[in-house]
Amino acid sequence: MLSLQQITYRHPNKELLFSNLNLTVNPHEKIALIGNNGVGKSTLLKLIAGKITPNTGHLQLETVPYYVPQIFGQYNDYTVAEALGVNDKLTALLEILNGNANDEYFENLDNDWTIEQRCLEALDHWQLQDVNLQQPMASLSGGQKTKVFLAGINIYNPQLILLDEPSNHLDAPSRQLLYQFIRRTKSTLVVISHDRHLLNLLDSICELGPQGISVYGGNYDFYTAQKQLAKNALEQDINSKEKALRKAKEKEREALERQQKQDAKGKKKQEKAGVARIMMNTLRNNAEKSTSKMKEVHAEKVGGVAQELSTLRSQLPDADKMKFGFNHSLLHKGKVLFEAIGLNHRYVQQNLWKENLDFQITSGERIAIKGSNGSGKTTLIHLLLGNQPVHIGQLKITEVKATYIDQDYSLINPLLNVYEQAQHFNTGALQEHEVKTRLNRFLFDKEDWDKVCSSLSGGERMRLMLCCLTLGSHAPDLIVLDEPTNNLDIQNVEILTAAINEYEGTLLVVSHDEYFLEQINIQREIKLG
């Protein structure tokens, strides 16, 4: 079905992205393609889709793949029908039904008399009943654009399907439709995703990294179990090497002390025996050379073990190298922060929510705000943060130190460099070296400090945001996360998860990623409808 042999790709600027990749995907197999941001997952999918060509290597396909991209901006000037590649057929069908028997229309239609019906049924299946085939793609939300391309699967019934982060912008009901499709389809699937629930529905995990593609013959849970075994073995190696280093240093110290004692004894014997000064100098020089040689031997051994230890530590996952160090919120647990009584919001002369909202949020709680796309989750957040006026009902708000983090980490100023951004949040009056130490904890070393924030990846922006939260004299009383995992790879989702689990303040989260919500120990939900 699909075979990659010795595939190499360089960016147009000649920078090498990956080389000599090999992968075989059998008919009806469902695989995930995972890896850190920047390793080339989306580029590899474009190569398979025929959107770009490799520099070297051979790509073998037995069928034309159907490709659902991650980014849809290039389709904004298209109608839905044009984006799906069915516009010419629909136009031909309409002309023929209106009595125009031009041969060109029959040729374009190619006997596909059910094309319009299939399109409408496909849109209906993916909950796009209100979307018109002649509607501009630019008028649709991110989730709707994704579902338009997913609807194309129903229209074309392809044998090979390529999906690049298909669940990113989907709400919970739409994700369930996607999961159902993945379970039931007999088509071959190659999927890029950080959605752990989705990854558990696939047959195998293919991890793209600097050394090529590693294949794990099971779903995501199997993959994580195998990675944990490898990590445990690595940690044992590190512990063993740390012991070896301590032992080597101890031997070095003992050998030097022993040599110094022997030299001192020899000197006393020589002085008692009345050895001539010139001979004493020669003996002393020989002793110093012997000591120097011993130091070199031990230093070489210690240095070798230290280098091996450094190499092993560099192989640890980034999350295990990081130290978060959040300060505590000043609020005592259980203090009422928000109380909504009959709360609603008027939007275009209509109430946003079918039923008025009544709830309390107390300090220390972890709450998920849930609802389908367009249900007003972000609006509720802005009401709680005091950014929008209350139209209906009451909302009692206790003054709190709150930080709102969206999926683009917009609190990061793209015009500042990494160090300047950190200093902007340095309300704790930390010294320059202390700020740089914090940056190091979040994997920003001295080569990164002058890097402009606009050049940072999604994962780097997230890590810098987390670092900034540790620079104040106190942690925020409230952190609001609005779809925080959308633009992150799996490794950075794990880093975010570890950081959030160390935070002890109040947490409000909007996310369709159920696995993420489970991992950060959400206690209850506020459902909007």
Side-chain angles (χ1 to χ4, degrees):
M1 173 61 75
L2 167 63
S3 175
L4 306 178
Q5 298 171 8
Q6 300 293 302
I7 297 292
T8 295
Y9 183 79
R10 292 181 180 274
H11 289 298
N13 65 3
K14 306 302 181 184
E15 180 185 354
L16 180 67
L17 183 60
F18 46 69
S19 64
N20 301 321
L21 293 186
N22 296 287
L23 178 67
T24 299
V25 184
N26 297 312
H28 313 300
E29 195 174 1
K30 303 173 185 179
I31 73 159
L33 185 62
I34 67 170
N36 296 343
N37 284 345
V39 298
K41 301 185 299 294
S42 292
T43 300
L44 184 56
L45 216 61
K46 288 177 185 176
L47 284 169
I48 299 171
K51 304 296 182 183
I52 55 178
T53 56
N55 296 98
T56 62
H58 181 62
L59 173 64
Q60 184 177 350
L61 286 169
E62 294 180 4
T63 184
V64 177
Y66 182 84
Y67 172 57
V68 178
Q70 180 182 0
I71 299 169
F72 302 99
Q74 66 271 34
Y75 295 101
N76 279 346
D77 293 332
Y78 290 56
T79 64
V80 170
E82 288 170 338
L84 287 170
V86 297
N87 192 61
D88 288 348
K89 282 191 175 184
L90 291 173
T91 300
L93 177 63
L94 181 62
E95 289 292 336
I96 292 168
L97 292 177
N98 285 335
N100 190 337
N102 190 306
D103 288 344
E104 180 185 354
Y105 294 131
F106 282 95
E107 185 177 337
N108 286 344
L109 184 60
D110 192 26
N111 280 327
D112 193 356
W113 298 98
T114 64
I115 181 63
E116 183 177 27
Q117 179 185 349
R118 295 204 316 280
C119 288
L120 295 176
E121 287 175 352
L123 293 177
D124 184 68
H125 174 80
W126 289 99
Q127 301 173 336
L128 294 171
Q129 296 90 341
D130 297 331
V131 172
N132 188 291
L133 285 163
Q134 299 308 318
Q135 189 169 336
M137 288 287 287
S139 68
L140 304 181
S141 69
Q144 287 175 316
K145 288 175 182 175
T146 300
K147 289 193 285 186
V148 163
F149 278 86
L150 291 172
I153 297 171
N154 300 53
I155 296 169
Y156 290 104
N157 193 27
Q159 290 179 289
L160 173 60
I161 301 168
L162 312 175
L163 304 174
D164 193 348
E165 296 287 2
S167 64
N168 252 15
H169 302 288
L170 300 184
D171 57 20
S174 300
R175 285 192 179 207
Q176 290 304 319
L177 275 176
L178 176 63
Y179 301 154
Q180 184 182 77
F181 161 74
I182 289 172
R183 287 190 198 98
R184 293 180 178 178
T185 185
K186 301 299 182 184
S187 298
T188 306
L189 296 182
V190 180
V191 186
I192 296 173
S193 182
H194 64 264
D195 179 342
R196 275 77 58 90
H197 186 94
L198 187 157
L199 294 174
N200 269 333
L201 302 176
L202 303 175
D203 302 324
S204 58
I205 305 292
C206 300
E207 184 175 34
L208 177 60
Q211 308 306 317
I213 297 176
S214 301
V215 180
Y216 296 81
N219 65 8
Y220 185 73
D221 283 346
F222 176 83
Y223 162 81
T224 53
Q226 295 301 305
K227 295 291 277 189
Q228 186 62 48
L229 288 173
K231 181 184 163 189
N232 292 344
L234 176 61
E235 288 174 344
Q236 285 182 355
D237 289 345
I238 289 173
N239 291 335
S240 176
K241 201 61 68 176
E242 285 173 340
K243 289 178 182 176
L245 182 59
R246 287 194 296 270
K247 192 172 182 179
K249 287 181 175 179
E250 183 66 22
K251 279 188 175 181
E252 179 184 38
R253 183 184 62 78
E254 289 174 353
L256 287 173
E257 287 177 354
R258 193 163 52 246
Q259 184 67 40
Q260 287 166 357
K261 287 178 182 177
Q262 289 174 352
D263 291 347
K265 284 180 182 179
K267 185 178 180 182
K268 285 180 181 179
K269 285 181 182 179
Q270 292 154 11
E271 287 173 347
K272 285 181 181 179
V275 176
R277 181 177 295 275
I278 188 166
M279 181 60 72
M280 288 275 288
N281 288 339
T282 301
L283 291 170
R284 187 180 69 246
N285 289 339
N286 288 341
E288 287 174 352
K289 285 179 183 177
S290 177
T291 301
S292 176
K293 188 173 182 180
M294 182 188 298
K295 281 183 178 179
E296 286 178 10
V297 170
H298 282 284
E300 186 176 341
K301 185 172 182 181
V302 168
V305 176
Q307 180 58 49
E308 291 171 3
L309 179 59
S310 176
T311 301
L312 287 172
R313 283 175 174 163
S314 70
Q315 296 170 27
L316 280 169
D318 284 347
D320 293 301
K321 301 177 196 171
M322 295 176 63
K323 298 177 181 177
F324 300 108
F326 283 116
N327 294 318
H328 296 304
S329 164
L330 293 178
L331 293 179
H332 65 81
K333 287 197 174 183
K335 181 180 177 67
V336 177
L337 304 184
F338 304 97
E339 184 175 12
I341 304 170
L343 180 67
N344 216 315
H345 188 74
R346 192 166 291 280
Y347 182 74
V348 194
Q349 304 304 314
Q350 287 187 340
N351 288 356
L352 181 55
W353 301 299
K354 293 177 183 176
E355 296 182 4
N356 295 343
L357 305 179
D358 296 282
F359 61 81
Q360 276 191 348
I361 297 174
T362 59
S363 178
E365 284 195 286
R366 293 184 166 230
I367 300 173
I369 299 175
K370 290 193 169 185
S372 58
N373 289 343
S375 62
K377 300 184 293 293
T378 300
T379 298
L380 177 58
I381 285 172
H382 287 305
L383 286 169
L384 294 172
L385 295 177
N387 298 333
Q388 291 189 8
V390 174
H391 294 157
I392 299 169
Q394 299 180 54
L395 180 60
K396 300 176 182 178
I397 302 175
T398 300
E399 186 173 342
V400 295
K401 179 183 176 184
T403 298
Y404 173 63
I405 301 175
D406 62 14
Q407 62 182 299
D408 296 317
Y409 297 89
S410 303
L411 284 176
I412 301 296
N413 185 337
L415 301 179
L416 300 179
N417 66 33
V418 168
Y419 175 72
E420 290 168 341
Q421 179 65 67
Q423 279 289 20
H424 183 72
F425 278 78
N426 182 18
T427 59
L430 298 175
Q431 298 296 313
E432 178 179 338
H433 73 277
E434 293 176 296
V435 173
K436 289 179 175 177
T437 297
R438 297 288 177 92
L439 286 169
N440 273 318
R441 284 185 193 171
F442 286 83
L443 310 182
F444 293 101
D445 56 29
K446 59 184 178 182
E447 285 78 18
D448 299 315
W449 297 337
D450 293 328
K451 189 184 290 186
V452 179
C453 291
S454 60
S455 69
L456 300 181
S457 68
E460 288 171 328
R461 291 167 71 88
M462 178 273 295
R463 285 193 279 110
L464 183 54
M465 185 72 256
L466 292 176
C467 179
C468 289
L469 294 182
T470 73
L471 294 172
S473 53
H474 299 286
D477 302 314
L478 169 68
I479 293 179
V480 182
L481 299 171
D482 195 350
E483 295 290 1
T485 64
N486 264 13
N487 297 318
L488 302 182
D489 57 29
I490 290 174
Q491 175 180 257
N492 281 301
V493 172
E494 289 173 351
I495 288 172
L496 177 63
T497 300
I500 292 302
N501 283 336
E502 196 172 297
Y503 170 67
E504 295 186 358
T506 310
L507 191 66
L508 294 181
V509 187
V510 174
S511 178
H512 297 301
D513 188 339
E514 291 295 333
Y515 194 99
F516 173 69
L517 294 176
E518 179 183 326
Q519 292 294 303
I520 61 172
N521 302 308
I522 290 297
Q523 297 159 336
R524 66 183 179 97
E525 302 172 356
I526 295 175
K527 290 189 176 181
L528 304 178

